[in-house]
Amino acid sequence: TKKQILLLLLWLSSFLAALDRVAMSVAILPMSTEFGCTSTLKGSVASFFSLVYGICILPAGLMVASLSPRLCMMLGVATWSVATLGTPYSAALQGLAPLFAIRAVVGAGECIVIPATQRFMSLWTTTEEKSRCEW
């Protein structure tokens, strides 16, 4: 049914967002060896993603509440996907600013997943389904 397909797509987008967060934690190890990064720098790269994610999640929720959740999710997935593809290229550039900037874009793109998922679920479920408890 349509609801099962929606649930599968929402699960897939959440899975990919979580995988992307973990991927940078793994990728930073060989990158730090190649580029001579310190532990502080590795932590800063991870923290910058989290900082921007946290700052952008409230505006993302407001955007999803006022616009189409489909459009918001599509833009979020496209944004974080393109930024993820650009991460190795930004790391190869001179200085840290490009790497921090691209990680910020990834965080901004990924923060749309939770609000959009909640909006999809509220729009696509009936009152009876919302009030039913099966545990």
Side-chain angles (χ1 to χ4, degrees), residues 18-135:
L19 183 65
D20 186 58
R21 283 183 218 129
V22 173
M24 188 59 181
S25 301
V26 174
I28 196 73
L29 298 175
M31 284 172 60
S32 64
T33 303
E34 183 179 339
F35 299 113
C37 300
T38 64
S39 294
T40 304
L41 180 60
K42 290 187 283 189
S44 296
V45 170
S47 297
F48 206 78
F49 167 87
S50 298
L51 175 70
V52 173
Y53 184 99
I55 290 170
C56 290
I57 197 163
L58 182 60
L62 294 170
M63 184 174 76
V64 168
S66 60
L67 300 174
S68 163
R70 289 179 189 185
L71 175 65
C72 294
M73 183 72 92
M74 180 186 70
L75 291 173
V77 170
T79 299
W80 105 59
S81 297
V82 169
T84 298
L85 290 172
T87 299
Y89 301 108
S90 68
L93 295 174
Q94 196 69 2
L96 298 174
L99 182 58
F100 285 158
I102 203 80
R103 290 305 294 166
V105 174
V106 174
E110 281 190 23
C111 76
I112 201 76
V113 173
I114 292 174
T117 298
Q118 291 173 338
R119 180 88 193 280
F120 274 121
M121 296 305 287
S122 72
L123 292 173
W124 283 58
T125 54
T126 64
T127 304
E128 181 183 294
E129 290 171 324
K130 292 175 190 174
S131 63
R132 185 175 56 203
C133 180
E134 297 183 12
W135 39 273

Side-chain angles (χ1 to χ4, degrees), residues 1-18:
T1 67
K2 284 185 177 183
K3 287 183 184 180
Q4 291 170 330
I5 293 169
L6 174 69
L7 188 60
L8 176 66
L9 291 172
L10 292 175
W11 177 86
L12 184 61
S13 64
S14 297
F15 175 77
L16 290 173

